[in-house]
Amino acid sequence: MVDPKRVTAPQIADTYGRALTTVTTDWIPRPEFPDSVGRDGRNKTYDAQAVADFVRDHIERPTVEFEPTRLYTAREIETLTGIKTSTIRADKSRRRWPQPDDTSGRADRWLGAAITRTLADRRPYHRGGADNQVPPAPGGTFRPGDVVLDADGQIRVRTSHPELVWRHPGDGLTGTAQDGTLHDIDVPRPLTLLVRDGRAVGGRLIEE
């Protein structure tokens, strides 16, 4: 019997409403995830409080209230929301992020009201939901180098980065570079798997 203060991967998945594959292939490999403290049969066990701290600090995003008339730079938005400046730049070029309200200074700035509206339109990450899960794909979960088409018609490539798990296909459709530019929540669902292991797979829609 598992110590109630220790949890296995299946228990973590059940507690936080995530697919087991999300916990085993996305959360646990991250350097920030707590080390195993033992075993329960075949399953490693982890300190429950340490896991809760990891989820709080690295998975769940707190609600941010922006002052409607204040101007914010991309760097300030990143600090408050966790959305990378590179993601903001990329989304602005694709009209998924509004044009800045102020361009008079060295850095573009957006009104808090505009940021709030934009974030409300993005699919949120929430505990117990399907967002930010690595969905099942033919032959297993998404792998570095997989190429998908997102709901906005954009091509994305899976990376091996622990947090920025998607990138733009600028380095080639089947590259497996570690450096990513997008968090999983920044890639709108559903996703269609296009390429795996360098071969077309017929455009298979991944249901979540």
Side-chain angles (χ1 to χ4, degrees):
M1 182 176 180
V2 182
D3 185 324
K5 295 182 180 179
R6 298 185 179 187
V7 289
T8 62
Q11 290 171 324
I12 295 170
D14 182 65
T15 298
Y16 295 100
R18 295 288 175 259
L20 178 59
T21 52
T22 298
V23 174
T24 58
T25 65
D26 182 17
W27 291 12
I28 292 177
R30 299 191 190 191
E32 303 92 351
F33 196 84
D35 293 333
S36 169
V37 293
R39 280 187 174 275
D40 175 48
R42 298 176 58 184
N43 293 318
K44 291 183 178 180
T45 58
Y46 304 87
D47 181 81
Q49 184 58 55
V51 172
D53 293 341
F54 164 81
V55 172
R56 181 198 64 217
D57 295 339
H58 301 284
I59 301 299
E60 294 180 339
R61 291 185 176 180
T63 301
V64 178
E65 293 187 4
F66 289 90
E67 298 177 32
T69 58
R70 177 185 166 185
L71 290 164
Y72 297 82
T73 66
R75 184 66 64 186
E76 290 172 324
I77 296 171
E78 176 180 342
T79 299
L80 292 169
T81 67
I83 299 175
K84 297 292 184 181
T85 56
S86 57
T87 298
I88 294 174
R89 287 195 298 269
D91 282 359
K92 183 161 65 75
S93 68
R94 291 168 173 77
R95 298 184 179 180
R96 292 184 56 202
W97 191 273
Q99 294 300 309
D101 296 293
D102 177 46
T103 59
S104 61
R106 296 181 60 184
D108 292 342
R109 298 190 296 173
W110 289 262
L111 284 169
I115 299 167
T116 299
R117 287 194 302 269
T118 302
L119 295 179
D121 290 338
R122 298 171 77 92
R123 296 188 60 175
Y125 182 100
H126 57 87
R127 179 171 173 169
D131 296 332
N132 205 38
Q133 295 185 12
V134 179
T141 57
F142 286 129
R143 307 169 186 170
D146 279 355
V147 181
V148 302
L149 181 71
D150 71 18
D152 285 345
Q154 300 296 324
I155 299 293
R156 307 298 188 196
V157 182
R158 185 73 176 187
T159 77
S160 57
H161 192 280
E163 295 183 1
L164 301 175
V165 296
W166 297 102
R167 67 178 175 84
H168 305 288
D171 295 328
L173 286 181
T174 58
T176 58
Q178 292 186 356
D179 292 336
T181 57
L182 298 169
H183 289 277
D184 202 39
I185 63 169
D186 297 322
V187 178
R189 269 45 175 184
L191 302 180
T192 300
L193 184 65
L194 302 177
V195 175
R196 167 161 289 178
D197 298 328
R199 292 175 293 184
V201 297
R204 301 181 185 181
L205 182 65
I206 307 303
E207 298 290 347
E208 298 184 79

